[in-house]
């Protein structure tokens, strides 16, 4: 069954009003950028999740803290390596600080906890960058398309008044042109909604893995660093 006996989609698009064309152009730009984000995040978040899970398992399986940190890989490639490098750097600074051992012992746990939390937050900010745009597309695109549709229908009714005819043949082309804007809006919003929620689930797994690693790191640091777990005197 042919729903467009006289016009194809391109003809309808070319015959739309300027306002509707601008709406569809804007939606097309939104779609292009959202798909770019989807493809980038699909690989970056997937790779980060894999590295975090693998790094956490390697850290737990390692015999001691030093071997566990080496098993995380290079900090330019592994989120956990970057997080742990911040903690190790802060620990070295505390170790060299002109503070007695008892004071260091009291400070080390809270200091490492804060640094690990900051490192995890930094990694999550990097992974979630640009994701709010997908949420914007999911929420706004249908309404932007609806605006184009309403504007097109208004133009169609104006044409009816000018032609002084309410025949279906008079109004159908204009209404069809207008409805395309809503369809494009939905085509932008649906994949943005699906992938935004998909990425949120994967990001939750990544964050959980990094939090688990931070807890394991703190436990090992307390057990294996002599002055961190035993009161002592200078």
């Amino acid at each position: 069954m042919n729903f467009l006996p006289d016009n194809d989609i391109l003809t309808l698009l070319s015959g739309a009003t300027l306002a509707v064309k601008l709406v569809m152009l804007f939606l097309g730009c939104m779609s292009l950028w959202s798909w770019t984000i989807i493809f980038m995040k699909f690989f970056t978040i997937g790779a980060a999740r894999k590295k975090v899970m693998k790094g956490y398992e390697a850290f737990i399986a390692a015999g001691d803290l030093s071997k566990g940190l080496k098993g995380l890989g290079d900090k330019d490639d592994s989120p956990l390596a970057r997080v742990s490098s911040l903690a190790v750097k802060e620990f070295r600074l505390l170790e060299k600080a002109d503070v007695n051992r008892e004071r260091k012992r009291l400070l080390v746990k809270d200091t490492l906890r804060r640094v690990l939390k900051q490192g995890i937050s930094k990694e999550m900010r990097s992974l979630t960058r640009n994701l709010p745009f997908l949420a914007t597309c999911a929420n706004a695109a249908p309404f932007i398309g609806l605006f184009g549709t309403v504007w097109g229908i208004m133009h169609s009714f104006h044409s009816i008044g000018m032609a002084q005819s309410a025949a279906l043949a008079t109004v159908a082309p204009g209404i069809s042109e207008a409805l395309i804007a809503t369809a494009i809006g939905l085509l932008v919003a649906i994949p943005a909604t699906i992938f935004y929620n998909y990425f949120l689930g994967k990001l939750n797994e990544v964050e959980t893995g990094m939090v688990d690693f931070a807890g394991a790191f703190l436990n090992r640091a307390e057990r294996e660093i002599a002055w961190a777990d035993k009161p002592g005197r200078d």
Side-chain angles (χ1 to χ4, degrees):
M1 182 177 180
N2 192 353
F3 292 95
L4 298 172
D6 299 319
N7 301 291
D8 58 16
I9 297 295
L10 292 178
T11 303
L12 287 176
L13 292 176
S14 63
T17 63
L18 178 61
V20 176
K21 286 180 179 178
L22 290 175
V23 167
M24 291 189 288
L25 178 62
F26 184 70
L27 289 171
C29 293
M30 289 180 69
S31 179
L32 179 63
W33 183 235
S34 68
W35 277 107
T36 301
I37 294 172
I38 287 168
F39 280 115
M40 288 192 304
K41 293 301 180 182
F42 187 82
F43 291 106
T44 56
I45 294 176
R49 177 182 175 276
K50 183 177 179 180
K51 290 170 184 176
V52 166
M53 299 306 171
K54 184 178 179 180
Y56 175 68
E57 291 175 1
F59 184 80
I60 294 298
D64 54 45
L65 181 60
S66 178
K67 292 180 180 178
L69 293 177
K70 291 179 181 178
L72 297 177
D74 187 76
K75 68 179 182 179
D76 293 329
D77 186 57
S78 170
L80 292 185
R82 289 191 290 270
V83 171
S84 64
S85 66
L86 293 174
V88 171
K89 180 180 179 181
E90 189 65 28
F91 175 79
R92 298 302 181 199
L93 292 174
L94 181 60
E95 193 174 36
K96 296 176 182 179
D98 187 17
V99 182
N100 63 64
R101 181 174 297 183
E102 179 64 20
R103 180 61 176 167
K104 289 180 181 179
R105 188 184 69 82
L106 295 174
L107 289 175
V108 63
K109 187 172 183 178
D110 286 338
T111 299
L112 291 180
R113 182 184 288 111
R114 285 194 299 270
V115 173
L116 289 168
K117 184 177 180 180
Q118 290 169 1
I120 292 172
S121 296
K122 182 179 179 181
E123 292 297 320
M124 293 305 298
R125 282 196 301 272
S126 176
L127 290 172
T128 57
R129 187 177 295 118
N130 292 324
L131 275 186
F133 183 79
L134 291 183
T136 300
C137 288
N139 291 315
F143 293 101
I144 295 173
L146 184 61
F147 169 77
T149 296
V150 171
W151 189 276
I153 291 175
M154 288 171 56
H155 182 266
S156 295
F157 281 114
H158 178 72
S159 300
I160 292 173
M162 296 293 293
Q164 297 182 349
S165 172
L168 184 61
T170 304
V171 299
I175 293 176
S176 297
E177 296 162 6
L179 290 174
I180 291 176
T182 296
I184 294 176
L186 292 174
L187 288 175
V188 175
I190 290 171
T193 302
I194 292 172
F195 282 100
Y196 178 75
N197 289 303
Y198 172 80
F199 291 143
L200 284 185
K202 295 301 178 183
L203 285 168
N204 185 58
E205 294 179 21
V206 173
E207 186 174 19
T208 299
M210 288 195 286
V211 170
D212 290 343
F213 166 77
F217 182 95
L218 282 172
N219 291 337
R220 281 203 163 173
E222 286 187 313
R223 288 197 307 267
E224 298 180 24
I225 299 171
W227 57 261
D229 61 355
K230 296 179 181 178
R233 296 180 181 179
D234 290 330

